[in-house]
Amino acid sequence: MVRVTSQLKMLTPAAWASVLCGLLLGFPPLVGMEPMGGAKLDPDHAPSVEPLPSSSGSNCSDLTLKLEFSTKVVEHEYIIGFTGYFSAKARSLYISSALRNAADAALEWRIVPRQNPASDFPSDFELVHIRQASPGSLLTLEDHPYIKRVTPQRKVFRMLKYTPSPEPAAPCNATRSWQSSRPFRRTSLSLGTGFWHATGRHSSRRLLRAIPRHVAQILQADVLWQMGHTGSGVKVAVFDTGLSEKHPHFKNVKERTNWTNEKTLDDGLGHGTFVAGVIASMRECQGFAPDSELHIFRVFTNNQVSYTSWFLDAFNYAILKKIDVLNLSIGGPDFMDHPFVDKVWELTANKVIMVSAIGNDGPLYGTLNNPADQMDVIGVGGIDFEDNIARFSSRGMTTWELPGGYGRVKPDIVTYGSGVRGSGMKEGCRSLSGTSVASPVVAGAVTLLASTVLNRELVNPASMKQALIASARRLPGVNMFEQGHGKLDLIRAYQILNSYKPQASLSPSYIDLTESPYMWPYCSQPIYYGGMPTIVNVTILNGMGVTGRIVDKPVWQPYLPQNGDHIDVAVSYAPVLWPWAGYLAVSISVAKKAASWEGVAQGHVMVTVASPAENDSEAGGELTSTVKLPIKVKIVPTPPRSKRVLWDQYHNLRYPPGYFPRDNLRMKNDPLDWNGDHIHTNFKDMYQHLRSMGYFVEVLGAPITCFDASQYGTLLMVDSEEEYFPEEITKLRRDIDNGLSLIVFSDWYNTSVMRKVKFYDENTRQWWMPDTGGANVPALNDLISVWGMAFSDGLYEGDFTLADHDMYYASGCSIARFPEDGIVIAKNLKDQGLEVLKQETAVVEGVPILGLYQTPSDGGGRIALYGDSNCIDDSHRQKDCFWLLDALLQYTSYSMTPPSLSHSHSRVAPPTGAERPLPQRLEGNHLYRYSKVLEAHLGDPKPRPLPACPHLSWAKPQPLNETAPSNLWKHQKLLSVDLDKVALPNMRAYRPQVRPLSPGESGAWDIPGGIMPGRYNQEVGQTIPVFAFLGAMVVLSFFVVQLTKSKSKPKRRKPRIKRPTYLQQQQQQPAATTGKNPAV
């Protein structure tokens, strides 16, 4: 009793009240448990059934989960979307009326029945089976006033692969040395393993703590549990493979629904159970919100197959059930799958907070998956327990905006996604890795956070994302396209959310082109006069309402003492912010007066956002919020022409919208070219190399007619799939005559091979061949034909040595024609086209692959051709050829012919092109559907009229004669948020001591001093009355003693409750400004 009393004396009065209430109600104090994980999806083809390994036995295996994801179109089935929600009878009448007008006598159609929980409710789409459907009859459907869109039904395949981790399995309840994730230490995994991307922090001595890897407790969810917050009252939906009815880990499964064609609600794979456990398990490997209301949506069969229509029905039902949080373990590159994307927008517009994994396609950049790449969705990346970005975690930027604009920052945040523990399929726990392990970690945290807010009307997709990104802890040495805003900080997010007032905010919250490496790639190259404007795509988050607008125009205010008048700023923005978000594109350029100046310039852009007030009694019926976007740039004098390289982005096409195949045909499991072909995505390493060599690389997102060639030494065209305007061909010839040089990296193009690797086109609803190969060789030949050059339709691969460098030619073409006074290099390669078409192997000798040519005009430029781009493309590069790019740039920029090439023993006479005809465009191709150059025409497609060059409307500056802030980076403080006002309990975060199980002992965790929130076993229940009586007596005695002391001693001021260390540090930061229409 003495020991108990001494511990009780350490409690604060606030804690006393909690203890007393718990004892009198028969519950011991609540302590934290243990969380789990989920998994993410990649692309592949055939479905595979591999259930989660059994959890029976004494060991908890640590598995790496690889999810592969692919889709195909279901023949003859179409999703007909309507402009509103209608009954089944009304939908049938509208379709009948529309098809009655189709002049197609052979048309056969029927409505495909959908037997699921949403069948009894109005819907905004119908699934129709149409045979002999001509494009005309489908267009007739879209002409109906109540039909919004007709798209093909898609079949989704997902394959789960569980791979044991290299380290040995540990007992389920064993402890292991684990380095705290707090800032007082830093250690990284061996760089030799290459599995984790190091953050660049220094190693140091660190405190090792023997605790299990419990994600919820590592993120301090137990602090909120002890405050009584356990997810109660929040509806969370898991879209996955289902859940067993009597799984021992879950106590509040409100509803299980099946949206597949299988007659079961149970999970036959274990993935859905794992994800649900990360969010809401209440024992063993405990989730974040054990008392949340769990809604299980079974949208995948045991064969891991799903359909778009299943998701659409399930999404509609989630809206009907007023789901609060939705975790979606699916993703893919198709951000133009309109029915799916539109429904995600509708979900978030109905205040559903959607959390989705960003993708498992890292470390390649430009690999974000949809829907996690959408502005209204919380996209989650993965880290390990040492705060290293997971190698598998997809990187930004988004590629929606290419070629004219620039991508947005994604992921939004990162959290633990490696070795996370989650519920087994029937019982027990498993450890898995993947970004969709990280996704349910955030979904569980969001569910727990939502339950802490008294006024639930304040919780919406924007306010929750604002709280998460404003509270995130930035990881040192990691750029924003890897970590987003940083690592999830649950406690800081709780503090922000519980003092939150509706407002707008920006992501990123500032633009600092001098901050490295976080602001990569902006920080990697200074700006200068005459360069292409630097575009920063900022996301506006509007926590005031689902819809909003920007009032008047954004205002540019340069700081005169910090040379702000040396830069010009143009701003374009979304006319309507919906749902909850919009874009703010900021273009930055250097003023003419700074052409020879070097230094740092600063200013800021002021933006005011307005949203309709839910309560019309508000002044003016609108809520407004003004936000500030600080800008800081490094300016250098304009570099010489020879150092400036212009990357042609305008003529690169990628999936979606069209089917553009990979440049390397060996990559059969990744057949689509979907990474954007940008210097900051799959050509990142090439860009970094050129910068290290002193070159300045700019991006052309407009036609060739829209740049001043006298400013640049070399135009770099890599893997071009687009056609060329006649005006572009004429201008390029004139520019090269005047000194501009050209480097072309081509790829394969062979119509027979294109027919062999056919795809099902979603737009024409029929099987068809790719409209181009790896590159559009016929278009490139039109561009360079004036100099007597051309590429062939040969398709070659193989290893060779060039200038003492090992090289690999991956599905490249050859040079078919070249001027006789040029330099041509040839190598012996395998005929890959023959292998693809006839499965035969043959070696072709003397294949021309590289050509160098000096144009004859006085002062004319130089041209270099190479038949393969894979050696500079990060996607599937096996051996880089950056040395060759250096040599070609030395030739084009400085007219220095590399001796290793001009005197190479592989040099041959230039080919004349008489041996075989040049490649022709594939007959009947549909490139015009996706082209910016071509348009449909009777007969062959014709070029569109040349578009006008982009014109930026520079903002009129409103100078400020005041000093700018020196450091723009600080934790983004939302308006009217004071972390000190949100008190936390003054108690140590409980870290339960666990031990190995004894023979015959229960598999539940042994947690001294308490039990899981809302659940206790029979033995504990029998001892509760005794503890309650003793506890009540101790409490009564304590208060009698305190009362006696207070009467005998003078009153003293009550000591202030000591706050946690990290809160004291935050008190030193400047307080956020407050006001009705505040500004940041």
Side-chain angles (χ1 to χ4, degrees):
M1 177 62 69
V2 174
R3 180 176 58 85
V4 173
T5 304
S6 64
Q7 291 179 347
L8 290 172
K9 286 183 180 181
M10 296 172 63
L11 296 177
T12 64
W16 264 112
S18 173
V19 172
L20 181 60
C21 291
L23 290 171
L24 294 179
L25 292 174
F27 292 93
L30 304 181
V31 299
M33 316 311 139
E34 158 198 6
M36 29 258 105
K40 170 69 200 117
L41 314 174
D42 288 32
D44 198 48
H45 297 295
S48 172
V49 181
E50 186 179 342
L52 194 64
S54 171
S55 60
S56 61
S58 61
N59 282 349
C60 258
S61 61
D62 195 358
L63 304 176
T64 297
L65 175 60
K66 181 179 180 182
L67 291 102
E68 297 181 344
F69 168 78
S70 65
T71 66
K72 64 174 291 187
V73 172
V74 181
E75 227 172 337
H76 306 308
E77 287 191 6
Y78 302 91
I79 295 173
I80 299 178
F82 296 92
T83 57
Y85 284 79
F86 302 100
S87 66
K89 182 178 180 180
R91 299 195 303 267
S92 177
L93 289 174
Y94 295 152
I95 295 172
S96 300
S97 173
L99 291 178
R100 197 179 300 125
N101 298 326
D104 194 342
L107 189 66
E108 299 179 10
W109 68 277
R110 61 180 174 83
I111 293 177
V112 179
R114 310 196 310 274
Q115 300 299 324
N116 55 54
S119 302
D120 298 331
F121 301 97
S123 177
D124 61 343
F125 79 96
E126 194 65 86
L127 182 62
V128 180
H129 186 277
I130 306 178
R131 295 191 64 85
Q132 307 297 330
S134 64
S137 60
L138 297 177
L139 290 175
T140 302
L141 269 173
E142 293 183 342
D143 288 340
H144 193 280
Y146 291 120
I147 294 178
K148 178 170 64 175
R149 186 179 289 113
V150 179
T151 53
Q153 164 83 312
R154 299 181 69 181
K155 188 176 185 179
V156 181
F157 298 94
R158 189 175 71 170
M159 180 163 58
L160 308 179
K161 295 180 179 178
Y162 299 96
T163 305
S165 294
E167 59 182 271
C172 275
N173 288 0
T175 62
R176 68 171 66 194
S177 295
W178 174 84
Q179 288 77 37
S180 169
S181 62
R182 300 301 182 87
F184 59 74
R185 69 91 194 91
R186 168 63 199 145
T187 182
S188 63
L189 300 181
S190 169
L191 295 179
T193 65
F195 187 74
W196 298 107
H197 181 75
T199 60
R201 285 166 285 173
H202 299 289
S203 298
S204 62
R205 295 182 181 273
R206 68 272 186 189
L207 176 65
L208 301 183
R209 304 180 65 185
I211 65 173
R213 292 181 294 178
H214 300 175
V215 171
Q217 290 184 338
I218 292 172
L219 293 173
Q220 296 183 282
D222 48 352
V223 174
L224 300 185
W225 294 341
Q226 293 176 67
M227 298 172 66
H229 305 301
T230 56
S232 179
V234 180
K235 299 178 181 180
V236 57
V238 176
F239 279 57
D240 217 285
T241 56
L243 178 69
S244 299
E245 182 179 8
K246 296 182 180 180
H247 197 289
H249 287 185
F250 305 95
K251 69 172 182 179
N252 195 17
V253 179
K254 186 69 174 180
E255 185 178 27
R256 296 183 306 146
T257 53
N258 177 36
W259 305 87
T260 72
N261 53 13
E262 294 180 339
K263 304 301 181 182
T264 180
L265 294 167
D266 292 342
D267 184 2
L269 298 172
H271 185 259
T273 305
F274 188 91
V275 172
V278 175
I279 298 171
S281 171
M282 47 74 61
R283 65 191 298 260
E284 294 190 80
C285 36
Q286 188 178 3
F288 285 81
D291 287 326
S292 61
E293 191 176 291
L294 198 57
H295 293 252
I296 303 299
F297 289 72
R298 188 175 187 269
V299 292
F300 279 98
T301 67
N302 287 334
N303 289 327
Q304 303 182 58
V305 173
S306 188
Y307 291 87
T308 300
S309 60
W310 294 356
F311 276 98
L312 299 183
D313 271 329
F315 285 154
N316 283 340
Y317 193 70
I319 295 173
L320 183 71
K321 289 293 182 177
K322 299 186 183 301
I323 295 296
D324 299 308
V325 181
L326 191 153
N327 183 82
L328 191 63
S329 292
I330 189 173
D334 190 359
F335 56 79
M336 298 190 70
D337 181 12
H338 290 291
F340 191 91
V341 172
D342 289 353
K343 189 57 65 175
V344 170
W345 283 335
E346 186 178 349
L347 275 165
T348 55
N350 281 274
K351 300 187 72 170
V352 179
I353 302 172
M354 180 173 284
V355 183
S356 185
I358 206 67
N360 279 355
D361 298 295
L364 186 64
Y365 281 67
T367 53
L368 303 174
N369 281 212
N370 181 265
D373 61 350
Q374 295 186 206
M375 285 187 286
D376 52 325
V377 176
I378 299 173
V380 184
I383 59 174
D384 71 348
F385 285 97
E386 296 303 318
D387 292 354
N388 300 304
I389 299 296
R391 180 177 176 83
F392 54 73
S393 186
S394 290
R395 271 71 165 169
M397 59 184 177
T398 62
T399 59
W400 297 40
E401 299 80 4
L402 300 179
Y406 195 82
R408 287 170 285 109
V409 175
K410 281 279 183 169
D412 294 303
I413 57 172
V414 293
T415 192
Y416 301 118
S418 177
V420 175
R421 293 169 51 81
S423 298
M425 186 163 63
K426 297 297 183 183
E427 60 181 9
C429 304
R430 283 291 178 265
S431 296
L432 296 179
S433 301
T435 53
S436 69
V437 172
S439 176
V441 169
V442 172
V446 166
T447 303
L448 180 58
L449 288 170
S451 70
T452 68
V453 181
L454 295 178
N455 183 5
R456 295 286 174 87
E457 292 298 319
L458 293 178
V459 179
N460 58 58
S463 64
M464 183 60 71
K465 183 183 283 193
Q466 287 173 328
L468 291 177
I469 66 178
S471 61
R473 301 280 183 176
R474 183 175 297 181
L475 303 178
V478 183
N479 70 56
M480 60 185 179
F481 288 145
E482 291 183 316
Q483 67 168 312
H485 292 269
K487 171 187 168 186
L488 171 67
D489 188 324
L490 184 65
I491 300 303
R492 283 176 56 87
Y494 160 76
Q495 294 175 295
I496 289 175
L497 203 58
N498 279 270
S499 59
Y500 176 82
K501 293 183 179 180
Q503 61 198 270
S505 64
L506 303 175
S507 170
S509 59
Y510 68 97
I511 301 172
D512 187 351
L513 275 60
T514 68
E515 182 184 359
S516 180
Y518 180 74
M519 277 284 170
W520 187 94
Y522 298 109
C523 62
S524 63
Q525 180 169 293
I527 63 175
Y528 42 83
Y529 175 70
M532 292 289 174
T534 297
I535 304 173
V536 183
N537 195 343
V538 179
T539 298
I540 304 173
L541 297 173
N542 179 22
M544 299 179 292
V546 65
T547 184
R549 62 183 179 87
I550 292 181
V551 179
D552 298 326
K553 291 183 178 180
V555 178
W556 162 237
Q557 295 182 306
Y559 292 106
L560 294 182
Q562 277 71 40
N563 310 298
D565 56 336
H566 285 37
I567 56 177
D568 296 323
V569 171
V571 180
S572 61
Y573 51 87
V576 177
L577 310 180
W578 183 92
W580 308 104
Y583 71 86
L584 182 75
V586 181
S587 299
I588 306 171
S589 190
V590 177
K592 186 175 182 179
K593 65 179 180 180
S596 302
W597 182 80
E598 182 173 356
V600 175
Q602 288 186 249
H604 64 245
V605 174
M606 301 293 292
V607 182
T608 300
V609 177
S611 282
E614 294 185 4
N615 185 354
D616 290 337
S617 63
E618 296 279 350
E622 279 190 331
L623 296 174
T624 61
S625 177
T626 301
V627 289
K628 179 191 296 183
L629 179 68
I631 296 176
K632 184 178 181 180
V633 300
K634 168 71 173 177
I635 300 175
V636 297
T638 303
R641 179 182 187 182
S642 59
K643 283 291 187 181
R644 296 177 63 180
V645 177
L646 186 62
W647 173 273
D648 178 19
Q649 185 69 41
Y650 187 78
H651 295 94
N652 285 330
L653 299 176
R654 46 79 173 99
Y655 175 89
Y659 284 95
F660 298 98
R662 275 286 185 205
D663 305 323
N664 187 346
L665 290 176
R666 290 288 178 198
M667 302 300 150
K668 296 180 181 179
N669 63 335
D670 191 11
L672 299 176
D673 190 353
W674 63 284
N675 303 128
D677 287 344
H678 192 278
I679 59 172
H680 299 152
T681 58
N682 53 309
F683 288 93
K684 168 182 175 286
D685 289 351
M686 180 211 71
Y687 166 74
Q688 293 284 70
H689 177 80
L690 292 180
R691 287 294 300 127
S692 69
M693 299 301 293
Y695 292 100
F696 293 83
V697 188
E698 301 172 37
V699 176
L700 176 64
I704 293 174
T705 54
C706 296
F707 78 98
D708 181 4
S710 65
Q711 299 283 323
Y712 301 92
T714 302
L715 175 64
L716 185 55
M717 292 184 170
V718 179
D719 187 23
S720 301
E721 296 92 355
E722 181 62 280
E723 294 283 339
Y724 296 89
F725 291 102
E727 295 88 344
E728 291 183 293
I729 297 174
T730 302
K731 180 178 184 292
L732 183 62
R733 178 182 181 181
R734 184 172 62 250
D735 290 340
I736 290 180
D737 287 343
N738 292 329
L740 177 71
S741 292
L742 174 68
I743 296 178
V744 178
F745 281 79
S746 184
D747 265 299
W748 69 273
Y749 185 97
N750 184 287
T751 55
S752 298
V753 173
M754 289 159 63
R755 292 187 179 95
K756 185 74 173 180
V757 291
K758 62 183 180 181
F759 295 90
Y760 190 89
D761 176 33
E762 298 188 8
N763 296 281
T764 61
R765 286 87 180 183
Q766 60 187 349
W767 287 100
W768 58 283
M769 284 61 66
D771 293 314
T772 71
N776 191 341
V777 168
L780 284 172
N781 286 346
D782 289 345
L783 189 71
I784 60 179
S785 62
V786 67
W787 296 285
M789 301 178 183
F791 290 103
S792 77
D793 63 355
L795 205 168
Y796 304 97
E797 74 160 346
D799 294 286
F800 60 90
T801 300
L802 181 61
D804 296 328
H805 293 273
D806 292 332
M807 302 280 285
Y808 176 67
Y809 212 65
S811 303
C813 67
S814 64
I815 298 175
R817 183 186 299 166
F818 208 74
E820 60 181 7
D821 54 343
I823 299 173
V824 173
I825 304 296
K827 290 294 179 179
N828 299 338
L829 299 170
K830 290 189 294 185
D831 188 338
Q832 191 177 22
L834 184 66
E835 180 182 348
V836 172
L837 297 174
K838 298 182 179 181
Q839 290 73 53
E840 298 177 3
T841 303
V843 175
V844 181
E845 296 184 356
V847 178
I849 58 173
L850 175 64
L852 307 178
Y853 178 65
Q854 169 68 62
T855 59
S857 58
D858 185 22
R862 288 152 293 281
I863 301 175
L865 305 182
Y866 189 67
D868 180 33
S869 70
N870 281 280
C871 59
I872 58 174
D873 187 342
D874 301 345
S875 299
H876 300 296
R877 184 180 64 242
Q878 297 186 33
K879 298 176 182 177
D880 74 71
C881 62
F882 297 147
W883 72 270
L884 177 61
L885 181 59
D886 290 342
L888 298 182
L889 283 171
Q890 286 289 318
Y891 176 70
T892 58
S893 298
Y894 301 102
S895 189
M896 296 173 56
T897 305
S900 59
L901 298 179
S902 60
H903 299 91
S904 172
H905 66 276
S906 300
R907 181 172 176 178
V908 298
T912 61
E915 298 83 5
R916 56 192 298 180
L918 297 178
Q920 300 297 314
R921 292 170 176 82
L922 182 66
E923 185 177 353
N925 74 76
H926 301 93
L927 182 62
Y928 65 88
R929 294 180 180 271
Y930 323 109
S931 172
K932 302 178 291 293
V933 176
L934 300 178
E935 64 179 355
H937 194 272
L938 292 176
D940 294 331
K942 301 296 182 183
R944 304 172 187 269
L946 181 69
C949 295
H951 174 72
L952 294 175
S953 180
W954 301 105
K956 184 178 180 180
Q958 297 182 7
L960 298 175
N961 193 18
E962 59 184 69
T963 303
S966 58
N967 182 13
L968 301 187
W969 178 59
K970 55 184 178 181
H971 282 297
Q972 181 186 21
K973 287 200 172 184
L974 294 176
L975 311 179
S976 307
V977 171
D978 187 354
L979 299 184
D980 295 332
K981 293 182 180 179
V982 184
L984 296 174
N986 188 21
M987 59 182 72
R988 295 171 56 191
Y990 284 90
R991 303 292 185 189
Q993 301 297 318
V994 299
R995 55 183 175 78
L997 292 177
S998 303
E1001 191 176 359
S1002 168
W1005 287 94
D1006 179 23
I1007 302 174
I1011 52 178
M1012 302 294 176
R1015 185 178 180 92
Y1016 54 92
N1017 58 34
Q1018 185 176 2
E1019 293 180 356
V1020 176
Q1022 292 173 352
T1023 61
I1024 281 179
V1026 177
F1027 280 111
F1029 176 79
L1030 293 177
M1033 295 302 296
V1034 170
V1035 171
L1036 184 59
S1037 302
F1038 174 84
F1039 279 112
V1040 169
V1041 171
Q1042 294 298 320
L1043 183 62
T1044 304
K1045 288 183 178 180
S1046 64
K1047 290 183 178 181
S1048 59
K1049 293 183 180 180
K1051 294 185 178 179
R1052 293 184 300 174
R1053 185 177 180 182
K1054 185 181 296 184
R1056 186 178 179 184
I1057 299 174
K1058 187 176 180 181
R1059 305 185 189 277
T1061 304
Y1062 69 91
L1063 291 182
Q1064 294 177 13
Q1065 295 173 353
Q1066 290 177 9
Q1067 286 181 324
Q1068 300 172 6
Q1069 299 180 2
T1073 58
T1074 61
K1076 183 172 181 58
N1077 297 323
V1080 289

